[in-house]
Amino acid sequence: DTGVSQDPRHKITKRGQNVTFRCDPISEHNRLYWYRQTLGQGPEFLTYFQNEAQLEKSRLLSDRFSAERPKGSFSTLEIQRTEQGDSAMYLCASSWGLAGIADTQYFGPGTRLTVL
Amino acid sequence: KQEVTQIPAALSVPEGENLVLNCSFTDSAIYNLQWFRQDPGKGLTSLLLIQSSQREQTSGRLNASLDKSSGRSTLYIAASQPGDSATYLCALSPGSNYQLIWGAGTKLIIKP
């Protein structure tokens, strides 16, 4: 297993366009997370899946953002009607966790989005 | 609201020195705290995870401590090497919901 992968690595789009990012977690991991990171800041939590169920969404995730994890494997993050403020690095992480036990999150390389 | 702060934002030291990176947080009710390393273009790598019941964790030249009562964690790097140059971030989980709240990081440069 080569770890968490994300596609594409870079995306440049025009304001108002829709974009979709894909994350493939480590195969046996049941948890998947999406974060957003802007330059010089730490990542900000966006959403979290336990298997195929989306259990948590940050208020940062406006109605223009939607995430799915069909069948509890890969996940997609879609941004509709992109705005310049959406320009950031979008990070995906996965982990294996049992209820009540701390887990280590493994991160992918990220997708850098630039909205012109 | 939980806030995580890392000071300084950047640090430059000569190779071979021992150094300490600091992380402070405002709410002592945490589930765990992790230290990560971020290299340009390579994403985030978890270095150490400390559960709320633990005081420290060690891995090779790295030692992380946790003092919940004072809202502080430190990452100690022994005998620093140029390959240690990276941005180091601390992140904590505020509860069993597993999301992480992050500091902005300390950019470390080790001069040969």
Side-chain angles (χ1 to χ4, degrees):
Chain A
D1 191 7
T2 56
V4 179
S5 62
Q6 293 186 245
D7 183 70
R9 294 291 304 276
H10 303 275
K11 179 69 177 179
I12 300 174
T13 191
K14 293 182 179 180
R15 188 175 55 186
Q17 297 295 305
N18 299 342
V19 294
T20 300
F21 309 141
R22 177 179 171 124
C23 171
D24 287 273
I26 294 172
S27 58
E28 64 268 25
H29 284 183
N30 58 347
R31 295 178 181 154
L32 188 145
Y33 312 78
W34 285 98
Y35 294 87
R36 180 173 68 186
Q37 185 178 26
T38 53
L39 195 63
Q41 300 297 316
E44 296 174 297
F45 170 79
L46 293 178
T47 191
Y48 154 63
F49 290 85
Q50 175 96 12
N51 299 310
E52 67 275 9
Q54 188 174 22
L55 297 187
E56 236 187 297
K57 289 174 60 174
S58 166
R59 65 179 182 275
L60 294 173
L61 214 65
S62 75
D63 57 6
R64 295 186 298 107
F65 288 71
S66 62
E68 295 182 342
R69 193 185 182 197
K71 304 178 183 179
S73 56
F74 72 92
S75 176
T76 58
L77 177 68
E78 180 183 16
I79 308 175
Q80 296 181 327
R81 305 180 304 281
T82 53
E83 302 172 356
Q84 289 184 325
D86 297 331
S87 296
M89 177 75 82
Y90 289 83
L91 297 165
C92 175
S94 70
S95 67
W96 168 255
L98 299 174
I101 296 178
D103 57 352
T104 296
Q105 296 182 21
Y106 296 85
F107 282 78
T111 294
R112 180 167 295 284
L113 173 66
T114 302
V115 182
L116 302 176
Chain B
K1 176 187 173 184
Q2 177 73 271
E3 293 184 357
V4 181
T5 304
Q6 293 185 249
I7 295 174
L11 181 64
S12 180
V13 300
E15 180 179 3
E17 283 198 3
N18 303 325
L19 59 99
V20 174
L21 304 180
N22 296 299
C23 173
S24 61
F25 46 94
T26 54
D27 188 341
S28 62
I30 67 172
Y31 194 71
N32 63 51
L33 185 144
Q34 298 183 61
W35 282 92
F36 289 83
R37 168 181 174 145
Q38 187 168 33
D39 295 277
K42 293 185 179 181
L44 289 151
T45 302
S46 180
L47 298 173
L48 291 164
L49 181 151
I50 310 177
Q51 298 188 35
S52 62
S53 59
Q54 297 176 322
R55 297 281 297 187
E56 64 177 341
Q57 283 285 340
T58 298
S59 176
R61 295 183 294 109
L62 305 179
N63 175 276
S65 68
L66 174 64
D67 183 345
K68 290 194 301 179
S69 62
S70 65
R72 294 181 61 185
S73 176
T74 61
L75 178 67
Y76 175 83
I77 303 176
S80 58
Q81 304 170 357
D84 295 329
S85 297
T87 296
Y88 291 81
L89 297 103
C90 69
L92 60 85
S93 182
S96 59
N97 57 3
Y98 310 120
Q99 67 164 283
L100 295 175
I101 299 174
W102 298 76
T106 294
K107 183 175 182 179
L108 177 64
I109 298 173
I110 306 298
K111 297 175 289 186

